[in-house]
Amino acid sequence: MLCPRLSAAASGRLLAMLVPVRKKMKAAAYTAGGVDWEKFFRQYDKSGDGALDLAEFKSAVRRVLKLPPSKLADDDVRLVFETIDADGSGEIQLPEMLEFIDGS
């Protein structure tokens, strides 16, 4: 899942960023009936196209996951986004997000 072009140090830094993002996403997806990933995803898909672009993802990171730039810089948000965007399309689809959450 990690980008092969990253150095070992950068990969370690990326792993350190992914853990809190993954945990906060899991917590944010809980509802009264349990975890609802589809609802979580739709809530942040502001364009309604079934995918999160970088701006939508960044908005969710800042507002929902409560990770300000002091905790996760914009460049780091982009790196996390690119890591989750497994197919490199520039958008995160729900299956890609679920794969990330599962830690696959």
Side-chain angles (χ1 to χ4, degrees):
M1 172 181 247
L2 294 181
C3 182
R5 67 179 182 266
L6 294 177
S7 68
S11 290
R13 193 173 123 249
L14 176 59
L15 278 174
M17 289 184 287
L18 296 179
V19 170
V21 169
R22 187 177 285 125
K23 285 182 180 180
K24 287 178 177 278
M25 281 181 148
K26 286 179 181 180
Y30 277 98
T31 65
V35 178
D36 189 343
W37 288 111
E38 290 82 11
K39 179 180 176 185
F40 173 84
F41 194 83
R42 281 191 317 269
Q43 185 174 356
Y44 305 106
D45 178 16
K46 300 299 182 189
S47 62
D49 63 357
L52 300 179
D53 62 23
L54 179 58
E56 291 166 329
F57 179 75
K58 183 177 172 184
S59 176
V61 165
R62 300 289 183 231
R63 295 183 322 155
V64 180
L65 305 185
K66 296 182 174 106
L67 289 169
S70 61
K71 300 260 186 206
L72 191 65
D74 286 348
D75 288 343
D76 294 337
V77 172
R78 179 183 298 276
L79 186 57
V80 171
F81 177 86
E82 290 171 354
T83 301
I84 299 171
D85 178 23
D87 66 3
S89 66
E91 296 179 321
I92 296 173
Q93 310 290 328
L94 181 57
E96 290 173 316
M97 190 178 78
L98 293 176
E99 184 178 328
F100 168 72
I101 294 300
D102 289 338
S104 303

